[in-house]
């Protein structure tokens, strides 16, 4: 396998993901556990990026001996490059100019760049730079900094940019060059082996005990329901909680769909309790925590006697909430990473087979398990629901405005054929009002933001260049059909620096 040491980058799991995509198994381990790792099956070592710097008092560091004991090719990415320079007699200093986003670089001859043209577009995200190369030589440069280095004799390569993100135009090729050309790894990992392994693992962990799953009707929980059903049959109870934060007509659609399956299915109407607890709350982190806590309480009351809680948690949820693999910065707390859930995790009462996977990987697994196409192709929807698409206080009135506007966005995207061409398309209710003129009268009404993005895995995203006619239709319909809205704006922010959801 290819071992990835995590130094806290938000992109660390993307590295493993890219390696799995090309058919090679990989694992992520926190950098401070490096001495505990069995080196016998390692074919290559990757040092991830991270938010720190090597000269800081509390820097995330390992030793040269930690690197060399694996006796395999090494690739450092971003912070990983700076760390390797630091370990091998070089010097890293704060950069006078930060590089962030798309950057043009010029490459030189190297195994890591085999088959690439001299000029490349890559994705940078760093503030420090290499000042003294130590044992390395330069193999790529941008206008303001060293972009890549190598010591071919020691089989050590390092990149200041991120080949794992889709914004680096030939990032996959660079990773392939390292994994196959330098590490000489073989293709031996596939999706079906994940399903088989998960089923065996679930059976072993659960035994004859009971499991409860929060079934939302989204692709993640729906896929997990079928996987658990295949593994342990009716030991699994699927509970659909109406938290009052779902989209228009969603309750009826979910109940109708899953009542047809041979599952233990239970519907709980908890709308009132969720909305009561969210009354007056405006802070997004507080919203998420309240929703997570209430969700667990509802489960404890309505699904008494279960031994395990199952969740369709994906890795973007984990890495943005709490670091389980390394020292990654918290971006936002997801409902399935609320304190109550974390407490259950500590008690080994949570089953999360997908926590190492990304949305599109789960979609592929869903196909293998026979999930209906309309569920597989459903766009991602956040666990906290519309609560985090209403900026500010969540009220029944504001929920109705957002539901109606969001329904129009989805309806028009499907009509135009663009729904399945993008990652997500939805409406956001902003905490401002604007002046308008409707029917020759002055209005002072709400503003809706439309968010449509392209992404592969949810870790990075770019705003979608939707035809103007579609945006025009969406805007006109919202303003004319949704009472209380007189202005529609389009969000053209990428992730990073923004996130896909507004809260």
């Amino acid at each position: 396998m290819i071992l990835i040491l995590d130094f806290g980058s938000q992109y660390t799991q993307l590295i493993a993901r890219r390696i799995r995509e090309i058919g090679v198994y990989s694992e992520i381990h926190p950098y401070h556990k490096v001495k505990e790792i069995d080196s016998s099956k390692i074919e290559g070592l990757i040092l991830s990026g991270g938010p720190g710097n090597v000269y800081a008092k509390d820097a995330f560091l390992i030793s040269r001996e930690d690197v060399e004991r694996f006796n395999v090719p090494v690739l450092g990415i971003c912070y990983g490059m700076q760390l390797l320079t630091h370990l091998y007699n070089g010097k890293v200093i704060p950069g006078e100019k930060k590089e962030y986003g798309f950057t043009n670089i010029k490459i030189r001859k190297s195994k890591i760049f085999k088959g690439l043209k001299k000029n490349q577009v890559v994705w940078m995200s760093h503030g420090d730079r290499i000042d003294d190369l130590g044992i390395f030589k330069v193999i790529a440069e941008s206008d303001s900094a060293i972009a890549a280095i190598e010591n071919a004799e020691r089989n050590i390569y390092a990149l200041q940019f991120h080949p794992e993100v889709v914004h680096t135009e030939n990032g996959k090729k660079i990773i392939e060059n390292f994994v196959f050309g330098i590490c000489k790894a073989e293709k031996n990992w596939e999706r079906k082996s994940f399903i088989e392994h998960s089923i065996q693992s679930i059976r072993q962990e659960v035994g004859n005990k009971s499991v409860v799953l929060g079934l939302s009707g989204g692709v993640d929980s729906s896929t997990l329901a079928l996987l658990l059903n295949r593994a342990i049959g009716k030991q699994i109870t699927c509970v659909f909680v109406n938290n009052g934060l779902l989209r228009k007509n969603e309750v009826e659609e979910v109940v109708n769909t899953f009542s047809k399956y041979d599952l233990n299915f239970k519907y709980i109407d908890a709308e009132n309790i969720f909305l009561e607890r969210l009354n007056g709350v405006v802070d997004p982190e507080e919203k998420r925590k309240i929703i997570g806590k209430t969700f667990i309480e509802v489960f404890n009351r309505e699904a008494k006697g279960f031994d395990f809680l199952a969740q369709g948690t994906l890795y973007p949820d984990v890495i943005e909430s709490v670091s389980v693999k390394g020292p990654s910065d918290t971006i936002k707390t997801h409902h399935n990473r609320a304190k109550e859930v974390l407490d259950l995790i500590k008690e080994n009462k949570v089953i999360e087979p997908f926590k190492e996977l990304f949305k599109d990987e789960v979609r592929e697994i869903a196909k293998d398990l026979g999930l209906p196409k309309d569920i597989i192709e459903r766009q991602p929807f956040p666990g906290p629901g519309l609560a985090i698409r209403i900026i500010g206080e969540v009220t029944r009135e504001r929920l109705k405005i957002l539901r109606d506007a969001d329904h129009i966005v989805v309806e028009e995207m499907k009509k135009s054929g663009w729904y399945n061409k993008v990652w997500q398309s939805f409406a956001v209710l902003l905490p401002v009002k604007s002046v308008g003129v409707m029917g020759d009268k002055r209005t002072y009404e709400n503003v809706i933001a439309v968010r449509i993005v392209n992404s592969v895995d949810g870790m990075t995203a770019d705003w979608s260049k939707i035809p103007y006619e579609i945006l025009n239709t969406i805007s006109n319909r919202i303003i004319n059909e949704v009472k209380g809205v007189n202005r529609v704006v389009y969000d053209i922010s990428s992730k990073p620096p923004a996130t896909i959801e507004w809260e």
Side-chain angles (χ1 to χ4, degrees):
M1 72 172 180
I2 303 297
L3 170 66
I4 302 164
L5 289 183
D6 180 20
F7 290 89
S9 172
Q10 301 301 331
Y11 304 138
T12 298
Q13 183 65 9
L14 284 181
I15 306 170
R17 160 68 193 291
R18 300 296 176 239
I19 295 171
R20 289 203 301 265
E21 279 181 346
I22 59 177
V24 177
Y25 182 66
S26 62
E27 283 187 5
I28 299 171
H29 290 261
Y31 77 95
H32 55 278
K33 300 282 188 180
V34 64
K35 297 185 190 304
E36 303 172 16
I37 301 169
D38 179 6
S39 64
S40 62
K41 297 181 180 180
I42 310 299
E43 294 179 290
L45 173 64
I46 296 179
L47 310 185
S48 84
N53 48 62
V54 297
Y55 47 78
K57 183 179 180 181
D58 56 351
F60 302 151
L61 299 175
I62 58 175
S63 68
R64 185 189 299 188
E65 290 72 25
D66 290 330
V67 173
E68 294 177 349
R69 81 175 181 89
F70 293 101
N71 194 30
V72 295
V74 180
L75 174 63
I77 297 175
C78 198
Y79 177 84
M81 169 169 150
Q82 296 163 14
L83 176 58
L84 287 170
T85 304
H86 176 71
L87 294 180
Y88 288 91
N89 306 322
K91 184 180 181 182
V92 180
I93 62 173
E96 295 177 3
K97 177 184 177 183
K98 292 185 177 182
E99 286 186 307
Y100 191 86
F102 291 105
T103 304
N104 294 304
I105 66 169
K106 292 184 178 180
I107 65 173
R108 301 173 189 173
K109 186 176 181 181
S110 170
K111 288 182 181 179
I112 199 78
F113 295 137
K114 184 179 179 181
L116 301 185
K117 295 180 180 179
K118 184 177 181 180
N119 295 307
Q120 295 291 314
V121 176
V122 300
W123 183 263
M124 292 281 195
S125 181
H126 71 101
D128 301 334
R129 65 179 178 84
I130 307 300
D131 185 56
D132 187 331
L133 289 167
I135 69 168
F136 300 102
K137 73 173 185 179
V138 176
I139 55 172
E141 293 178 282
S142 68
D143 290 339
S144 59
I146 295 169
I149 57 177
E150 73 170 15
N151 186 310
E153 292 181 1
R154 291 176 180 254
N155 252 347
I156 302 177
Y157 301 81
L159 312 171
Q160 188 59 71
F161 57 90
H162 290 271
E164 69 272 25
V165 304
V166 294
H167 304 313
T168 295
E169 61 179 5
N170 287 304
K172 183 178 179 181
K173 175 63 176 173
I174 293 170
I175 290 173
E176 287 178 339
N177 284 342
F178 177 72
V179 172
F180 297 126
I182 296 172
C183 298
K184 309 297 182 185
E186 296 180 2
K187 292 185 178 182
N188 57 10
W189 190 90
E190 58 180 11
R191 195 170 59 248
K192 288 184 178 179
S193 65
F194 171 84
I195 295 174
E196 294 167 4
H197 173 77
S198 295
I199 289 173
Q200 293 303 317
S201 177
I202 291 166
R203 286 173 179 168
Q204 183 176 354
E205 184 176 4
V206 174
N208 61 359
K209 295 180 179 179
S210 61
V211 180
V212 64
L213 165 69
L215 181 58
S216 69
V219 65
D220 306 329
S221 62
S222 300
T223 304
L224 182 54
L226 295 191
L227 180 66
L228 288 167
N229 187 248
R230 184 176 293 190
I232 57 175
K234 289 200 172 182
Q235 289 172 245
I236 171 73
T237 297
C238 300
V239 179
F240 172 49
V241 176
N242 174 13
N243 60 10
L245 305 169
L246 302 176
R247 289 169 288 194
K248 192 171 184 177
N249 303 325
E250 193 162 15
V251 172
E252 295 79 9
E253 291 172 1
V254 172
V255 172
N256 291 337
T257 298
F258 287 95
S259 295
K260 300 173 184 177
Y261 282 88
D262 186 24
L263 297 168
N264 289 328
F265 180 83
K266 186 174 183 179
Y267 170 70
I268 300 171
D269 185 353
E271 178 176 6
N272 289 336
I273 187 173
F274 276 89
L275 295 187
E276 284 172 9
R277 293 188 178 181
L278 288 170
N279 183 39
V281 178
V282 298
D283 180 76
E285 275 293 281
E286 190 64 23
K287 287 182 188 177
R288 290 174 178 273
K289 290 174 182 177
I290 288 171
I291 292 167
K293 181 178 180 179
T294 306
F295 184 77
I296 293 297
E297 284 185 17
V298 169
F299 261 72
N300 286 341
R301 185 177 66 245
E302 302 289 344
K304 293 177 181 178
F306 69 88
D307 298 296
F308 294 93
L309 168 67
Q311 295 194 133
T313 309
L314 303 186
Y315 197 78
D317 302 336
V318 175
I319 202 168
E320 288 187 340
S321 297
V322 180
S323 174
V324 295
K325 288 292 187 182
S328 306
D329 281 352
T330 296
I331 294 176
K332 56 192 177 185
T333 301
H334 288 255
H335 77 292
N336 47 15
R337 277 297 178 270
K339 180 182 181 301
E340 290 73 18
V341 177
L342 294 175
D343 289 342
L344 289 175
I345 290 174
K346 291 176 183 177
E347 296 173 19
N348 295 316
K349 290 184 177 180
V350 178
I351 297 172
E352 297 176 308
F354 303 152
K355 68 180 180 181
E356 302 287 343
L357 302 182
F358 290 84
K359 179 71 73 173
D360 60 313
E361 291 179 307
V362 173
R363 291 189 199 279
E364 293 301 315
I365 291 169
K367 291 178 185 177
D368 292 340
L369 292 173
L371 201 65
K373 185 178 179 181
D374 60 332
I375 296 178
I376 293 173
E377 294 180 350
R378 185 186 182 197
Q379 291 179 356
F381 185 63
L386 299 180
I388 59 169
R389 292 179 179 173
I390 293 177
I391 314 304
E393 185 179 4
V394 179
T395 66
R396 292 180 189 274
E397 180 185 3
R398 301 189 82 204
L399 277 166
K400 185 180 186 323
I401 291 172
L402 180 57
R403 277 197 185 98
D404 291 344
D406 185 75
H407 185 71
I408 290 171
V409 173
V410 173
E411 198 170 64
E412 290 302 324
M413 290 295 286
K414 288 182 176 179
K415 280 182 183 178
S416 66
W418 273 81
Y419 183 82
N420 292 325
K421 294 180 182 180
V422 302
W423 175 259
Q424 266 176 292
S425 49
F426 56 90
V428 180
L429 180 60
L430 303 188
V432 296
K433 290 190 175 184
S434 71
V435 174
V437 178
M438 301 176 76
D440 294 327
K441 292 183 179 180
R442 178 187 183 277
T443 62
Y444 189 59
E445 301 286 8
N446 294 284
V447 180
I448 288 287
V450 175
R451 180 72 158 145
I452 306 175
V453 297
N454 294 319
S455 181
V456 174
D457 40 49
M459 291 297 288
T460 60
D462 197 12
W463 63 280
S464 301
K465 283 68 175 177
I466 300 296
Y468 291 152
E469 315 87 74
I470 300 173
L471 294 177
N472 183 59
T473 301
I474 289 172
S475 177
N476 284 340
R477 282 197 61 194
I478 290 174
I479 291 171
N480 283 287
E481 297 177 29
V482 181
K483 186 178 180 180
V485 176
N486 69 357
R487 189 180 300 271
V488 174
V489 297
Y490 190 49
D491 182 347
I492 59 170
S493 310
S494 296
K495 175 184 179 178
T499 52
I500 294 176
E501 299 291 345
W502 276 52
E503 289 191 343

